[in-house]
Amino acid sequence: MTLLLIAEHDNQNLKPATLNTITAALKMAGDIHVLIAGDNCTAVSDAVKKITGVTKVLIANDPAYKNFLGENLAPLIAKLAPSYSHIAAPASTFGKNLIPRAAALCDAQAISDVIDVVAADIFVRPIYAGNALATVKSSDKISFITVRPSAFAPAGPLAGEGGAASVENISGTGDAGLAVFVGQELSKSERPELTQARIVISGGRGMGSGENFSLLTPIADKLGAAIGASRAAVDAGYVPNDYQVGQTGKIIAPDLYIAVGISGAIQHLAGMKDSKVIVAINKDGDAPIFQIADYGLVADLFQVLPELDQELAKVL
């Protein structure tokens, strides 16, 4: 069996989620082909062809793919699909937009957010906001899969210099004429990207205001952490929605997750409960977050955060 993995990139650099998806792909098929579709994206192949498990790299350079519109990429995937047993992509905004479209064109059903692979056609995915796991079997000739990156370790580079995958340039399918890219606003930060950070400190409704999120900043700086938020904080306008952690936000699994003023609604827990160590700070001792926290502190965050910052300054 041969799997086609759709690489997520920015035309210059490979997104880390692709490496995690490759690890999952190796549990589904013996041969892994990676499709790099974009505009002037040939440079990305240099990194991909040296990843363990990748046997072939397909490059589709086409201006229609510059902004990664699912409407344009899906026909290309549908064209390539008959040669493969599986089509996979990260369960990111990119993959969630693309894979269902391609599956529909091939009259197949997409299986989303896979967190484990039991067999080539049997997958495990969370349901009910992560409170239950469903084991599903694909009966389609071609399985269309999105993989939750946080559930798999990233694939590493090949040992030594030899054995790199072959590279093949393929023709694109052009502009489908279904959508037009208007523009984008990208947030820039010197902090680690939320889904890739080893340490995350998040604030919730208990922060009281957007200004109070500044209490998290010095702690995040000292720990080299990313800053996140609950949906309640985002909906209240305290921080932008790209901070949101949870079922309708970003799914993360850092080594350390610090939840400040977050009650622990089921939707939020679905996005961070796989963290290695969870620390909760909340003045409500009955808050649900304490049920999954490894360490919990029942206290007023406005007193605790300055004290924590002072203590960290002594040791870091």
Side-chain angles (χ1 to χ4, degrees):
M1 290 184 290
T2 305
L3 180 147
L4 179 65
L5 190 148
I6 318 303
E8 184 175 0
H9 60 93
D10 61 3
N11 288 313
Q12 297 297 321
N13 301 292
L14 188 69
K15 296 293 183 68
T18 302
L19 299 177
N20 304 78
T21 308
I22 289 173
T23 298
L26 290 169
K27 301 179 71 174
M28 304 180 203
D31 286 330
I32 308 298
H33 294 183
V34 177
L35 171 64
I36 302 172
D39 187 27
N40 294 320
C41 59
T42 305
V44 182
S45 68
D46 292 336
V48 174
K49 70 182 182 181
K50 296 179 181 179
I51 298 173
T52 300
V54 176
T55 55
K56 185 182 227 182
V57 178
L58 305 177
I59 302 176
N61 273 313
D62 191 316
Y65 305 144
K66 179 179 180 179
N67 298 301
F68 317 109
L69 293 177
E71 292 85 350
N72 292 341
L73 287 170
L76 171 63
I77 297 171
K79 174 185 173 183
L80 298 171
S83 300
Y84 295 95
S85 59
H86 300 74
I87 308 291
S92 57
T93 302
F94 168 79
K96 291 177 180 179
N97 178 47
L98 178 58
I99 291 298
R101 295 178 186 273
L105 292 176
C106 296
D107 194 26
Q109 178 173 304
I111 300 175
S112 63
D113 226 18
V114 167
I115 62 170
D116 195 12
V117 179
V118 179
D121 58 349
I122 302 176
F123 311 96
V124 179
R125 60 180 302 272
I127 58 175
Y128 303 128
N131 282 288
L133 299 178
T135 301
V136 297
K137 181 179 175 68
S138 173
S139 58
D140 289 318
K141 183 178 179 181
I142 305 170
S143 297
F144 287 80
I145 308 293
T146 61
V147 173
R148 180 179 290 189
S150 62
F152 297 90
L158 289 165
E161 296 296 325
S166 61
V167 178
E168 177 183 343
N169 288 287
I170 62 174
S171 59
T173 51
D175 192 335
L178 299 174
V180 176
F181 181 80
V182 176
Q184 63 183 1
E185 294 183 9
L186 300 177
S187 60
K188 295 182 179 180
S189 173
E190 296 181 357
R191 300 190 187 286
E193 205 281 320
L194 191 56
T195 57
Q196 301 299 321
R198 293 181 56 252
I199 301 174
V200 175
I201 181 168
S202 289
R205 192 196 304 273
M207 297 299 297
S209 69
E211 290 76 16
N212 289 334
F213 264 76
S214 62
L215 294 171
L216 303 181
T217 302
I219 297 173
D221 289 341
K222 291 179 175 63
L223 296 175
I227 294 180
S230 67
R231 178 173 178 173
V234 171
D235 287 349
Y238 297 168
V239 290
N241 60 12
D242 58 329
Y243 280 48
Q244 185 176 328
V245 174
Q247 185 181 16
T248 54
K250 295 179 179 178
I251 308 295
I252 62 174
D255 292 340
L256 172 62
Y257 186 80
I258 305 173
V260 182
I262 295 175
S263 63
I266 187 173
Q267 293 84 357
H268 184 75
L269 300 184
M272 44 63 69
K273 67 180 183 180
D274 290 331
S275 304
K276 305 291 190 302
V277 177
I278 299 172
V279 176
I281 302 172
N282 199 301
K283 66 180 180 180
D284 179 7
D286 295 323
I289 191 72
F290 289 120
Q291 296 178 13
I292 67 163
D294 297 287
Y295 302 94
L297 178 60
V298 180
D300 185 342
L301 65 89
F302 297 105
Q303 177 182 346
V304 169
L305 292 179
E307 292 177 354
L308 176 59
D309 182 35
Q310 292 173 11
E311 292 301 317
L312 288 173
K314 296 177 182 178
V315 297
L316 295 177

PDB file of all heavy atoms in Angstrom, residues 5-6 16-26 28 88-91 147-149 152-154:
ATOM      1  N   LEU A   5       0.742  11.837   1.242  1.00  0.00           N
ATOM      2  CA  LEU A   5       0.628  12.790   2.336  1.00  0.00           C
ATOM      3  C   LEU A   5       0.724  14.202   1.764  1.00  0.00           C
ATOM      4  O   LEU A   5       1.649  14.511   1.005  1.00  0.00           O
ATOM      5  CB  LEU A   5       1.725  12.550   3.367  1.00  0.00           C
ATOM      6  CG  LEU A   5       1.604  13.307   4.685  1.00  0.00           C
ATOM      7  CD1 LEU A   5       2.183  12.473   5.821  1.00  0.00           C
ATOM      8  CD2 LEU A   5       2.317  14.656   4.616  1.00  0.00           C
ATOM      9  N   ILE A   6      -0.229  15.037   2.112  1.00  0.00           N
ATOM     10  CA  ILE A   6      -0.238  16.410   1.622  1.00  0.00           C
ATOM     11  C   ILE A   6       0.544  17.277   2.596  1.00  0.00           C
ATOM     12  O   ILE A   6       0.132  17.453   3.746  1.00  0.00           O
ATOM     13  CB  ILE A   6      -1.677  16.957   1.467  1.00  0.00           C
ATOM     14  CG1 ILE A   6      -2.586  15.889   0.847  1.00  0.00           C
ATOM     15  CG2 ILE A   6      -1.667  18.238   0.655  1.00  0.00           C
ATOM     16  CD1 ILE A   6      -2.124  15.371  -0.491  1.00  0.00           C
ATOM     17  N   PRO A  16       5.766  22.131  10.918  1.00  0.00           N
ATOM     18  CA  PRO A  16       6.101  20.983  11.773  1.00  0.00           C
ATOM     19  C   PRO A  16       5.025  19.907  11.834  1.00  0.00           C
ATOM     20  O   PRO A  16       5.334  18.731  12.005  1.00  0.00           O
ATOM     21  CB  PRO A  16       6.309  21.629  13.148  1.00  0.00           C
ATOM     22  CG  PRO A  16       6.714  23.034  12.856  1.00  0.00           C
ATOM     23  CD  PRO A  16       5.938  23.422  11.628  1.00  0.00           C
ATOM     24  N   ALA A  17       3.748  20.282  11.700  1.00  0.00           N
ATOM     25  CA  ALA A  17       2.668  19.292  11.788  1.00  0.00           C
ATOM     26  C   ALA A  17       2.804  18.195  10.749  1.00  0.00           C
ATOM     27  O   ALA A  17       2.347  17.064  10.955  1.00  0.00           O
ATOM     28  CB  ALA A  17       1.313  19.986  11.648  1.00  0.00           C
ATOM     29  N   THR A  18       3.460  18.500   9.632  1.00  0.00           N
ATOM     30  CA  THR A  18       3.657  17.490   8.590  1.00  0.00           C
ATOM     31  C   THR A  18       4.535  16.342   9.087  1.00  0.00           C
ATOM     32  O   THR A  18       4.320  15.180   8.742  1.00  0.00           O
ATOM     33  CB  THR A  18       4.285  18.132   7.338  1.00  0.00           C
ATOM     34  OG1 THR A  18       3.435  19.182   6.876  1.00  0.00           O
ATOM     35  CG2 THR A  18       4.464  17.108   6.227  1.00  0.00           C
ATOM     36  N   LEU A  19       5.510  16.666   9.926  1.00  0.00           N
ATOM     37  CA  LEU A  19       6.408  15.636  10.457  1.00  0.00           C
ATOM     38  C   LEU A  19       5.651  14.654  11.350  1.00  0.00           C
ATOM     39  O   LEU A  19       5.880  13.442  11.298  1.00  0.00           O
ATOM     40  CB  LEU A  19       7.545  16.277  11.239  1.00  0.00           C
ATOM     41  CG  LEU A  19       8.460  17.231  10.457  1.00  0.00           C
ATOM     42  CD1 LEU A  19       9.496  17.850  11.384  1.00  0.00           C
ATOM     43  CD2 LEU A  19       9.146  16.495   9.309  1.00  0.00           C
ATOM     44  N   ASN A  20       4.727  15.173  12.156  1.00  0.00           N
ATOM     45  CA  ASN A  20       3.912  14.303  13.012  1.00  0.00           C
ATOM     46  C   ASN A  20       3.002  13.418  12.161  1.00  0.00           C
ATOM     47  O   ASN A  20       2.786  12.242  12.477  1.00  0.00           O
ATOM     48  CB  ASN A  20       3.062  15.144  13.964  1.00  0.00           C
ATOM     49  CG  ASN A  20       3.897  16.089  14.811  1.00  0.00           C
ATOM     50  OD1 ASN A  20       4.318  17.125  14.338  1.00  0.00           O
ATOM     51  ND2 ASN A  20       4.130  15.747  16.063  1.00  0.00           N
ATOM     52  N   THR A  21       2.486  13.980  11.082  1.00  0.00           N
ATOM     53  CA  THR A  21       1.593  13.223  10.202  1.00  0.00           C
ATOM     54  C   THR A  21       2.337  12.108   9.482  1.00  0.00           C
ATOM     55  O   THR A  21       1.772  11.038   9.236  1.00  0.00           O
ATOM     56  CB  THR A  21       0.929  14.171   9.186  1.00  0.00           C
ATOM     57  OG1 THR A  21       0.326  15.262   9.883  1.00  0.00           O
ATOM     58  CG2 THR A  21      -0.154  13.458   8.389  1.00  0.00           C
ATOM     59  N   ILE A  22       3.588  12.329   9.180  1.00  0.00           N
ATOM     60  CA  ILE A  22       4.392  11.276   8.556  1.00  0.00           C
ATOM     61  C   ILE A  22       4.533  10.075   9.492  1.00  0.00           C
ATOM     62  O   ILE A  22       4.458   8.915   9.068  1.00  0.00           O
ATOM     63  CB  ILE A  22       5.778  11.820   8.145  1.00  0.00           C
ATOM     64  CG1 ILE A  22       5.632  12.779   6.957  1.00  0.00           C
ATOM     65  CG2 ILE A  22       6.741  10.677   7.787  1.00  0.00           C
ATOM     66  CD1 ILE A  22       6.916  13.491   6.575  1.00  0.00           C
ATOM     67  N   THR A  23       4.732  10.336  10.783  1.00  0.00           N
ATOM     68  CA  THR A  23       4.821   9.244  11.757  1.00  0.00           C
ATOM     69  C   THR A  23       3.556   8.400  11.745  1.00  0.00           C
ATOM     70  O   THR A  23       3.600   7.170  11.779  1.00  0.00           O
ATOM     71  CB  THR A  23       5.067   9.811  13.170  1.00  0.00           C
ATOM     72  OG1 THR A  23       6.309  10.517  13.185  1.00  0.00           O
ATOM     73  CG2 THR A  23       5.114   8.693  14.205  1.00  0.00           C
ATOM     74  N   ALA A  24       2.395   9.067  11.715  1.00  0.00           N
ATOM     75  CA  ALA A  24       1.122   8.351  11.647  1.00  0.00           C
ATOM     76  C   ALA A  24       0.994   7.594  10.339  1.00  0.00           C
ATOM     77  O   ALA A  24       0.515   6.452  10.297  1.00  0.00           O
ATOM     78  CB  ALA A  24      -0.041   9.324  11.813  1.00  0.00           C
ATOM     79  N   ALA A  25       1.447   8.207   9.247  1.00  0.00           N
ATOM     80  CA  ALA A  25       1.338   7.589   7.925  1.00  0.00           C
ATOM     81  C   ALA A  25       2.109   6.277   7.842  1.00  0.00           C
ATOM     82  O   ALA A  25       1.685   5.321   7.181  1.00  0.00           O
ATOM     83  CB  ALA A  25       1.836   8.560   6.862  1.00  0.00           C
ATOM     84  N   LEU A  26       3.237   6.210   8.546  1.00  0.00           N
ATOM     85  CA  LEU A  26       4.056   4.997   8.518  1.00  0.00           C
ATOM     86  C   LEU A  26       3.351   3.805   9.158  1.00  0.00           C
ATOM     87  O   LEU A  26       3.734   2.656   8.931  1.00  0.00           O
ATOM     88  CB  LEU A  26       5.394   5.247   9.217  1.00  0.00           C
ATOM     89  CG  LEU A  26       6.355   6.177   8.465  1.00  0.00           C
ATOM     90  CD1 LEU A  26       7.525   6.578   9.350  1.00  0.00           C
ATOM     91  CD2 LEU A  26       6.857   5.489   7.192  1.00  0.00           C
ATOM     92  N   MET A  28       0.191   3.289   8.545  1.00  0.00           N
ATOM     93  CA  MET A  28      -0.885   2.965   7.614  1.00  0.00           C
ATOM     94  C   MET A  28      -0.388   2.280   6.351  1.00  0.00           C
ATOM     95  O   MET A  28      -1.085   1.438   5.771  1.00  0.00           O
ATOM     96  CB  MET A  28      -1.639   4.245   7.198  1.00  0.00           C
ATOM     97  CG  MET A  28      -2.209   5.066   8.330  1.00  0.00           C
ATOM     98  SD  MET A  28      -3.060   6.537   7.677  1.00  0.00           S
ATOM     99  CE  MET A  28      -2.996   7.619   9.118  1.00  0.00           C
ATOM    100  N   ALA A  88      -3.581  11.536   3.236  1.00  0.00           N
ATOM    101  CA  ALA A  88      -3.538  12.048   4.607  1.00  0.00           C
ATOM    102  C   ALA A  88      -2.992  13.464   4.654  1.00  0.00           C
ATOM    103  O   ALA A  88      -2.216  13.880   3.781  1.00  0.00           O
ATOM    104  CB  ALA A  88      -2.685  11.140   5.492  1.00  0.00           C
ATOM    105  N   ALA A  89      -3.402  14.194   5.688  1.00  0.00           N
ATOM    106  CA  ALA A  89      -2.912  15.554   5.933  1.00  0.00           C
ATOM    107  C   ALA A  89      -3.056  15.853   7.411  1.00  0.00           C
ATOM    108  O   ALA A  89      -3.816  15.186   8.118  1.00  0.00           O
ATOM    109  CB  ALA A  89      -3.701  16.573   5.103  1.00  0.00           C
ATOM    110  N   PRO A  90      -2.330  16.841   7.927  1.00  0.00           N
ATOM    111  CA  PRO A  90      -2.501  17.216   9.333  1.00  0.00           C
ATOM    112  C   PRO A  90      -3.921  17.718   9.589  1.00  0.00           C
ATOM    113  O   PRO A  90      -4.547  18.316   8.714  1.00  0.00           O
ATOM    114  CB  PRO A  90      -1.482  18.352   9.523  1.00  0.00           C
ATOM    115  CG  PRO A  90      -0.522  18.223   8.390  1.00  0.00           C
ATOM    116  CD  PRO A  90      -1.295  17.652   7.255  1.00  0.00           C
ATOM    117  N   ALA A  91      -4.415  17.498  10.802  1.00  0.00           N
ATOM    118  CA  ALA A  91      -5.743  17.990  11.182  1.00  0.00           C
ATOM    119  C   ALA A  91      -5.634  19.436  11.645  1.00  0.00           C
ATOM    120  O   ALA A  91      -6.041  19.807  12.745  1.00  0.00           O
ATOM    121  CB  ALA A  91      -6.344  17.116  12.275  1.00  0.00           C
ATOM    122  N   VAL A 147      -4.909  13.835  10.500  1.00  0.00           N
ATOM    123  CA  VAL A 147      -4.203  13.316  11.673  1.00  0.00           C
ATOM    124  C   VAL A 147      -3.977  14.426  12.690  1.00  0.00           C
ATOM    125  O   VAL A 147      -3.502  15.518  12.339  1.00  0.00           O
ATOM    126  CB  VAL A 147      -2.841  12.720  11.253  1.00  0.00           C
ATOM    127  CG1 VAL A 147      -2.025  12.328  12.483  1.00  0.00           C
ATOM    128  CG2 VAL A 147      -3.046  11.525  10.334  1.00  0.00           C
ATOM    129  N   ARG A 148      -4.331  14.163  13.948  1.00  0.00           N
ATOM    130  CA  ARG A 148      -4.057  15.139  15.005  1.00  0.00           C
ATOM    131  C   ARG A 148      -2.557  15.122  15.306  1.00  0.00           C
ATOM    132  O   ARG A 148      -2.037  14.138  15.856  1.00  0.00           O
ATOM    133  CB  ARG A 148      -4.848  14.826  16.263  1.00  0.00           C
ATOM    134  CG  ARG A 148      -4.589  15.816  17.384  1.00  0.00           C
ATOM    135  CD  ARG A 148      -5.389  15.524  18.630  1.00  0.00           C
ATOM    136  NE  ARG A 148      -6.813  15.783  18.457  1.00  0.00           N
ATOM    137  CZ  ARG A 148      -7.697  15.775  19.459  1.00  0.00           C
ATOM    138  NH1 ARG A 148      -7.285  15.522  20.696  1.00  0.00           N
ATOM    139  NH2 ARG A 148      -8.967  16.014  19.221  1.00  0.00           N
ATOM    140  N   PRO A 149      -1.831  16.186  14.983  1.00  0.00           N
ATOM    141  CA  PRO A 149      -0.371  16.181  15.144  1.00  0.00           C
ATOM    142  C   PRO A 149       0.098  15.906  16.568  1.00  0.00           C
ATOM    143  O   PRO A 149       1.117  15.233  16.777  1.00  0.00           O
ATOM    144  CB  PRO A 149       0.034  17.587  14.685  1.00  0.00           C
ATOM    145  CG  PRO A 149      -1.064  18.018  13.770  1.00  0.00           C
ATOM    146  CD  PRO A 149      -2.312  17.419  14.350  1.00  0.00           C
ATOM    147  N   PHE A 152       1.065  12.237  17.777  1.00  0.00           N
ATOM    148  CA  PHE A 152       2.173  11.468  17.224  1.00  0.00           C
ATOM    149  C   PHE A 152       3.475  12.255  17.331  1.00  0.00           C
ATOM    150  O   PHE A 152       3.486  13.483  17.205  1.00  0.00           O
ATOM    151  CB  PHE A 152       1.917  11.131  15.743  1.00  0.00           C
ATOM    152  CG  PHE A 152       0.702  10.263  15.518  1.00  0.00           C
ATOM    153  CD1 PHE A 152      -0.542  10.840  15.316  1.00  0.00           C
ATOM    154  CD2 PHE A 152       0.804   8.882  15.526  1.00  0.00           C
ATOM    155  CE1 PHE A 152      -1.666  10.052  15.113  1.00  0.00           C
ATOM    156  CE2 PHE A 152      -0.312   8.088  15.325  1.00  0.00           C
ATOM    157  CZ  PHE A 152      -1.558   8.668  15.120  1.00  0.00           C
ATOM    158  N   ALA A 153       4.567  11.544  17.565  1.00  0.00           N
ATOM    159  CA  ALA A 153       5.877  12.182  17.614  1.00  0.00           C
ATOM    160  C   ALA A 153       6.284  12.607  16.197  1.00  0.00           C
ATOM    161  O   ALA A 153       5.873  11.991  15.220  1.00  0.00           O
ATOM    162  CB  ALA A 153       6.914  11.218  18.181  1.00  0.00           C
ATOM    163  N   PRO A 154       7.077  13.656  16.068  1.00  0.00           N
ATOM    164  CA  PRO A 154       7.510  14.073  14.729  1.00  0.00           C
ATOM    165  C   PRO A 154       8.513  13.098  14.131  1.00  0.00           C
ATOM    166  O   PRO A 154       9.346  12.533  14.843  1.00  0.00           O
ATOM    167  CB  PRO A 154       8.153  15.442  14.973  1.00  0.00           C
ATOM    168  CG  PRO A 154       8.573  15.405  16.408  1.00  0.00           C
ATOM    169  CD  PRO A 154       7.556  14.562  17.125  1.00  0.00           C
TER     170      PRO A 154
END
